Amino acid sequence: MDDLRYPVGKFTYTGPASDADLQLWLSQIAATPALLRAAVGGLSEEQLNTPYRPEGWTVRQVVHHVPDSHMNSYVRFRLALTEEHPLIKPYHENLWAELPDASSAPVDLSLNLLDSLHQRWMLLLNSLRPADLAKAFRHPEMGLVTLEKNVALYAWHGRHHVAHITSLKSRMGWS
């Protein structure tokens, strides 16, 4: 892919999902922590501080971003399951990436957080029925977002950011 911002392509959702689609997306979400950990395994501090593309985040910032984003998504799922179309608060991910805990902290902190978060999140996701997946939250910029669409988005999100790192490693010849 020529666009380094989207190594697995831009997110698309055509809905409604088949059972096979949902199972694939859930397996991709479940796999994200291990794939992210494997992607950064053995990288040096210098490599972790390398932007994955010109004017992009460093590998370290990408690693810290994933649990930031997935925690927000987990909360959004819980809100949508317990409230009628709750209005969620977006966050400024680029500003979060500049905070000291995202720009300089050891990546193991976020890798461990992601492991625990996904264990809990997958318990919730695997319990959802079709009626639950039809529930939605209101995003100020995206409008009404069903939980089914959000499952698809976060299956893509994990693959998207792991690919930022693995494609950089490939381009740089890092094993």
Side-chain angles (χ1 to χ4, degrees), residues 3-9 36 39-40 43 50-53 56-59 61-63 65-66 93 156-172 174:
D3 190 341
L4 298 178
R5 294 173 301 168
Y6 299 102
V8 298
L36 187 61
V40 298
L43 293 182
T50 302
Y52 75 89
R53 67 174 173 85
W57 290 338
T58 66
V59 171
Q61 288 171 305
V62 170
V63 171
H65 163 74
V66 173
E93 62 184 34
W156 171 86
H157 188 260
R159 291 183 303 106
H160 167 72
H161 286 303
V162 168
H164 282 149
I165 298 166
T166 57
S167 65
L168 171 67
K169 288 172 62 176
S170 177
R171 291 191 315 275
M172 300 296 282
W174 300 341

Side-chain angles (χ1 to χ4, degrees), residues 47-111:
Q47 291 167 326
L48 290 170
N49 291 325
T50 302
Y52 75 89
R53 67 174 173 85
E55 300 179 25
W57 290 338
T58 66
V59 171
R60 182 183 311 278
Q61 288 171 305
V62 170
V63 171
H64 291 308
H65 163 74
V66 173
D68 286 347
S69 179
H70 290 208
M71 282 188 296
N72 274 282
S73 182
Y74 174 67
V75 168
R76 292 169 184 176
F77 269 85
R78 295 178 65 79
L79 289 169
L81 290 167
T82 59
E83 300 176 22
E84 185 71 25
H85 301 147
L87 177 64
I88 59 94
K89 184 178 185 331
Y91 69 104
H92 300 285
E93 62 184 34
N94 287 330
L95 296 176
W96 284 37
E98 295 299 325
L99 293 172
D101 65 323
S103 62
S104 61
V107 294
D108 279 347
L109 294 173
S110 282
L111 294 171

Side-chain angles (χ1 to χ4, degrees), residues 17-33 35 70 73 77 118-130 133 147-156 158-159:
S18 67
D19 288 341
D21 291 332
L22 286 169
Q23 289 309 309
L24 174 64
W25 296 336
L26 291 174
S27 70
Q28 290 171 336
I29 292 170
T32 296
L35 292 173
H70 290 208
S73 182
F77 269 85
H118 273 243
Q119 288 175 28
R120 177 98 182 260
W121 196 13
M122 289 310 301
L123 286 172
L124 179 65
L125 291 175
N126 286 321
S127 74
L128 299 180
R129 302 175 314 262
L133 291 166
L147 294 186
E148 178 182 286
K149 181 177 180 178
N150 213 42
V151 168
L153 176 60
Y154 276 83
W156 171 86
R159 291 183 303 106

